[in-house]
Amino acid sequence: VNDLLDLNSDDKDYYHQDYPPIIVPVSLADLPTLPILPVPQNGCDFMPNTIWDGVNFSDNHLTLREAILLANSNGNGEDTICLDCGTYFMSIELIDGQSSSNLGQFDILENLVIHGAGIDNTYIDANWLSRIFNVFPDVTLTLRDMSL
């Protein structure tokens, strides 16, 4: 895999590049419904591979919003989302005050840990569109190594 992606641990730009995800289908019957996701590693359940916002599971990118939607819906208990260096922009506004993970704020419905790459390296920016997180009752959101 390293040869395919031409990764070099000494390459300082590695963490600033979007490499294509590795696709491992479970079965041919699952192909139409499986989103294309980066391969989780180091205790991460989801690893967004773009800083941009949006929901489009067929575009080969995993946004922070999509990772939160997947974590909310998988029923696995506490999930961990690992963010790389960069500023993750929120670009979708609430419409008429409607709350949905597809709109504005990130709704946190299940226990979740979001782990950044350092407070000076990973930022989540709501762009003055909304609050960043709406954590539902009896749910814990843990934020590590990032700035809001």
Side-chain angles (χ1 to χ4, degrees):
V1 171
N2 287 349
D3 292 336
L4 175 68
L5 299 177
D6 193 26
L7 300 179
N8 179 342
S9 62
D10 296 330
D11 184 0
K12 294 178 182 171
D13 290 328
Y14 166 70
Y15 292 105
H16 300 284
Q17 298 176 9
D18 287 336
Y19 287 104
I22 299 171
I23 304 166
V24 182
V26 175
S27 74
L28 292 177
D30 293 330
L31 284 176
T33 59
L34 283 176
I36 299 171
L37 305 174
V39 175
Q41 51 186 300
N42 300 330
C44 300
D45 296 297
F46 303 101
M47 296 175 57
N49 60 359
T50 181
I51 60 171
W52 304 111
D53 195 8
V55 178
N56 179 358
F57 287 105
S58 65
D59 68 356
N60 294 340
H61 292 285
L62 181 67
T63 66
L64 175 57
R65 185 175 305 277
E66 289 169 331
I68 291 171
L69 286 168
L70 290 169
N72 282 340
S73 64
N74 71 5
N76 289 343
E78 182 175 274
D79 287 301
T80 300
I81 296 173
C82 295
L83 301 177
D84 214 340
C85 298
T87 300
Y88 293 78
F89 294 98
M90 183 183 289
S91 62
I92 303 173
E93 292 184 62
L94 283 174
I95 298 173
D96 296 327
Q98 296 297 310
S99 176
S100 165
S101 289
N102 292 328
L103 301 171
Q105 68 211 7
F106 298 122
D107 289 340
I108 309 301
L109 307 176
E110 294 186 12
N111 293 344
L112 180 64
V113 175
I114 303 177
H115 197 278
I119 61 171
D120 294 326
N121 298 317
T122 304
Y123 303 87
I124 298 177
D125 185 348
N127 207 21
W128 298 100
L129 298 174
S130 174
R131 62 183 166 197
I132 298 175
F133 298 103
N134 179 26
V135 182
F136 278 57
D138 301 318
V139 173
T140 301
L141 171 63
T142 304
L143 303 173
R144 295 187 179 132
D145 297 324
M146 71 180 66
S147 296
L148 305 176

